Amino acid sequence: MVTISGRSNPAWVGLVLAQPWVMPLARLALVSAYLIGGIDKVLHFNDAISEQAHFGLHPAALWAVLAIAVEIFGSLCVIFRRFTWFGAGGLGVLTVVAMLVANDFWNHIGAARFMALNSFFEHLGLIAALVLATVLSDSQHEI
């Protein structure tokens, strides 16, 4: 068993986590939806504006530019462990806004409520993962 901070993990888990590619890949996976979303918004800017308008965010072009900047720059901060607190914080705030405007389960009924509720809490879990990435970025160990 591998023991870290009084917690025990099976030795094979420690071996997998010790591989130099695991944590960079985990950081990339964590922010992949944001990075791809930001790039897609750049490539289809008019659609990005329409998306913001659809959710009632005005001026829509300004919100689209802000979303692109946060999604791309924030993702790069997390991936490269530079200003992780800033990048993850920006992505977290963007996610809260998205949760409130796009996953407003309290305004739906039936299947639409079910889907919005699930998405709301999936996004909440993503925010928690961004918090953990920020905390771990301050650790002495490579994450």
Side-chain angles (χ1 to χ4, degrees):
M1 295 279 195
V2 176
T3 303
I4 300 174
S5 301
R7 305 285 180 180
S8 295
N9 293 308
W12 67 270
V13 172
L15 289 173
V16 170
L17 294 177
Q19 298 303 309
W21 52 268
V22 170
M23 290 300 116
L25 185 60
R27 289 191 306 274
L28 176 62
L30 174 62
V31 298
S32 62
Y34 297 109
L35 188 58
I36 291 168
I39 292 168
D40 192 49
K41 284 177 180 68
V42 168
L43 296 175
H44 306 99
F45 188 66
N46 287 334
D47 293 337
I49 293 171
S50 295
E51 177 188 40
Q52 302 304 315
H54 170 77
F55 290 117
L57 299 172
H58 298 286
L62 175 62
W63 279 97
V65 169
L66 290 174
I68 290 166
V70 171
E71 286 178 330
I72 293 174
F73 182 71
S75 294
L76 294 175
C77 288
V78 172
I79 291 167
F80 294 111
R81 292 185 70 201
R82 300 292 181 257
F83 304 102
T84 303
W85 64 271
F86 186 72
L91 293 170
V93 169
L94 180 72
T95 303
V96 167
V97 171
M99 287 168 59
L100 295 175
V101 299
N103 303 127
D104 56 340
F105 63 89
W106 52 90
N107 288 324
H108 299 282
I109 58 171
R113 181 185 183 285
F114 179 81
M115 291 171 41
L117 179 73
N118 282 339
S119 186
F120 184 93
F121 284 99
E122 287 169 355
H123 284 83
L124 186 62
L126 186 53
I127 292 168
L130 290 165
V131 169
L132 291 173
T134 302
V135 170
L136 291 172
S137 73
D138 282 341
S139 75
Q140 297 297 334
H141 306 287
E142 164 64 18
I143 60 152

